[in-house]
Amino acid sequence: MTPAENEVADLCVELIRADSSNYGDGSGPGERAAAEVVMARLSEVGIDSTYIESEPGRGNVITRVEGSDPSLPALLVHGHLDVVPANAADWSVDPFAGEIRDGYIWGRGAVDMKDMDAMMLALIRQMKREGRKPRRDIVFAWVADEEAGGVYGAKYLTAHHPELFEGVTESISEVGGYSLEVDPSLRLYLIETAQKGLSWMKLIADGTAGHGSMLNSDNAVTEVARAVARIGEHDWPLTYTATVRQFLTEVADAFGIPFDEDDPQPILDKIGPLVRFVGATLRHTANPTQLDAGYKSNVIPGQATAVVDGRFLPGFEEDFFKTIDSLLGPKVRREFIHHDIALETTFDGALVESMIAALKAEDPAARAIPYCMSGGTDNKTFFADLGVRGFGFVPLRLPGDMDFASMFHGVDERVPVDALQFGVRVLDRLLLNY
């Protein structure tokens, strides 16, 4: 085993033990403890890094490895240090103990995404120790706050320190590169090339306030409730983006079944639990999540509000909002709480070819295919604003029976040790040869 393979599990455990829970309201411990682990391990092998706090405790670590060919554009490899909270009472193990059991590392962040943080750290340490240089500059970034929108992480860095990413044209980060076993002779590795857009919308209805015992034909609660029901019950049609069409075509071919555009369900059935990642990428979604109105049981309020979580497909944002506005009704207006673009890149180019080659070198049964995420990452939200073309690529060869999708933000989150070692080997090939 290489030094990186030997130490990646221990680094992952150390990072999990640095509680960096992000509650989204500023009450968590922040990322500083995890950032200090990264900086200490970099310093240990003589690597200088830049530490930036956007707010007290909200730590970001960035370092650049100089390549042998300065004419080549730089590559960004980034991971977030924060994790979603974990209720220890629900877990089989202490979620912040980083326990290794039955060949798995257990703990909050094991797959989202301290596994990648550890792989990045193990690889850069190995590069330094062995005196190896990549072909191009590589910027390694361990950032804060991805789980709550990136305000204290990627957003802050790209707005206030864009010079750190000088020359970067492409990036790799989370939620891609993992395997789906078709049979022992074929594994599909899903590389994320697209992400749905995000629109959290506040719906507002104004009406006539009055006594609850009286007739009232201008009831704000009634109006917003009707709008919520129309949106929540709307049957969004199947809409195939280029990425989703290619994904379904590839999966159908791998399993030897036809791709019927009118009924893609047989294909989705073949991918098992991973349908959680891709099932919502065949159409827009708009899910009501909150309602708020009134302050007393016998008072009709003058205003009622609701919140809708909308996710729109790349290239179809105008279509999405045209439909939403038709469902609101004349007495309900909408405002953005938060809005992010949708993003899609093509599955081609030198970086894609290098990812495919690195996968096949370590797993001859590998076939890489693109897919669209229903959620979003820092790749889309902020680094795209710098003109960076982003991919989800955390290479993991997984057991065929592992419910990988349930690990993200789930109870008993865990990752196989040998999957991390596989990922280190793949990333080593990619980063040094691309």
Side-chain angles (χ1 to χ4, degrees):
M1 278 192 185
T2 64
E5 288 177 81
N6 274 324
E7 71 176 8
V8 66
D10 289 339
L11 291 170
C12 187
V13 165
E14 189 175 10
L15 286 165
I16 289 171
R17 289 174 179 172
D19 183 0
S20 52
S21 299
N22 189 343
Y23 293 90
D25 59 3
S27 64
E31 297 82 4
R32 180 163 186 159
E36 287 177 345
V37 170
V38 173
M39 289 188 292
R41 296 298 168 233
L42 293 176
S43 178
E44 192 173 62
V45 294
I47 298 174
D48 294 328
S49 59
T50 299
Y51 178 67
I52 296 172
E53 282 196 350
S54 50
E55 292 287 340
R58 309 312 301 269
N60 301 271
V61 183
I62 304 93
T63 191
R64 182 183 285 254
V65 176
E66 184 179 315
S68 59
D69 187 348
S71 70
L72 294 174
L75 175 69
L76 170 64
V77 184
H78 62 99
H80 61 83
L81 291 171
D82 62 321
V83 298
V84 296
N87 181 8
D90 297 332
W91 285 57
S92 302
V93 299
D94 180 343
F96 297 102
E99 182 176 336
I100 298 180
R101 179 198 296 181
D102 302 325
Y104 286 77
I105 302 171
W106 297 60
R108 177 57 83 219
V111 301
D112 189 14
M113 63 175 299
K114 290 181 174 178
D115 56 345
M116 181 60 163
D117 293 332
M119 285 192 276
M120 291 162 56
L121 194 52
L123 281 170
I124 193 173
R125 283 163 58 87
Q126 180 171 288
M127 285 183 194
K128 181 67 173 180
R129 283 168 169 156
E130 297 178 351
R132 293 187 297 164
K133 272 192 173 186
R135 294 181 62 233
R136 66 191 66 232
D137 282 11
I138 301 177
V139 178
F140 288 86
W142 293 265
V143 303
D145 199 38
E146 192 276 342
E147 297 291 2
V151 172
Y152 302 111
K155 182 176 183 179
Y156 183 87
L157 294 174
T158 54
H160 297 279
H161 298 280
E163 72 282 357
L164 293 171
F165 310 103
E166 181 69 30
V168 170
T169 59
E170 294 172 308
S171 71
I172 59 173
S173 188
E174 63 178 329
V175 200
Y178 51 87
S179 67
L180 166 64
E181 187 168 302
V182 177
D183 59 48
S185 67
L186 177 59
R187 274 174 290 278
L188 302 178
Y189 285 84
L190 280 62
I191 298 177
E192 180 261 298
T193 60
Q195 299 179 16
K196 290 178 79 174
L198 164 66
S199 181
W200 292 337
M201 296 170 283
K202 185 177 184 179
L203 311 187
I204 305 165
D206 294 307
T208 301
H211 200 287
S213 66
M214 298 179 182
L215 297 174
N216 188 319
S217 60
D218 187 31
N219 190 312
V221 177
T222 302
E223 292 299 333
V224 85
R226 286 173 178 156
V228 165
R230 285 191 293 267
I231 291 172
E233 294 171 354
H234 182 69
D235 186 14
W236 295 93
L238 290 170
T239 304
Y240 295 108
T241 63
T243 297
V244 170
R245 186 181 298 278
Q246 186 174 353
F247 169 79
L248 293 172
T249 300
E250 292 274 11
V251 173
D253 177 72
F255 283 96
I257 60 176
F259 172 20
D260 181 352
E261 291 193 9
D262 295 324
D263 182 19
Q265 193 58 48
I267 300 175
L268 297 178
D269 290 343
K270 289 293 185 181
I271 66 175
L274 288 181
V275 74
R276 296 191 188 100
F277 282 145
V278 301
T281 64
L282 279 67
R283 50 173 54 87
H284 301 305
T285 59
N287 289 309
T289 56
Q290 292 177 274
L291 288 167
D292 185 34
Y295 55 90
K296 198 171 186 294
S297 58
N298 63 345
V299 177
I300 299 170
Q303 187 176 90
T305 65
V307 174
V308 173
D309 183 331
R311 310 284 174 136
F312 52 89
L313 295 166
F316 294 91
E317 181 175 353
E318 183 178 347
D319 167 74
F320 173 78
F321 285 112
K322 182 179 179 180
T323 301
I324 287 291
D325 289 342
S326 72
L327 296 171
L328 289 178
K331 294 185 177 182
V332 179
R333 66 186 187 278
R334 63 175 170 86
E335 297 177 353
F336 287 139
I337 298 172
H338 184 70
H339 179 269
D340 279 338
I341 62 170
L343 199 65
E344 185 170 40
T345 189
T346 52
F347 192 58
D348 57 15
L351 178 55
V352 169
E353 291 171 3
S354 295
M355 288 190 284
I356 293 171
L359 284 169
K360 289 191 72 67
E362 294 299 331
D363 182 4
R367 182 195 296 181
I369 64 173
Y371 88 103
C372 177
M373 267 189 69
S374 57
T377 71
D378 284 337
N379 258 343
K380 174 187 73 175
T381 313
F382 305 113
F383 292 118
D385 291 343
L386 297 181
V388 176
R389 182 186 185 212
F391 296 88
F393 190 67
V394 178
L396 298 171
R397 178 174 169 175
L398 301 170
D401 60 353
M402 183 178 180
D403 183 358
F404 187 60
S406 71
M407 296 295 103
F408 285 79
H409 299 189
V411 172
D412 287 342
E413 181 181 350
R414 58 197 181 275
V415 65
V417 171
D418 60 5
L420 287 188
Q421 293 166 341
F422 171 84
V424 162
R425 295 194 300 271
V426 172
L427 287 173
D428 183 59
R429 290 179 181 274
L430 173 66
L431 298 184
L432 286 169
N433 298 322
Y434 170 53

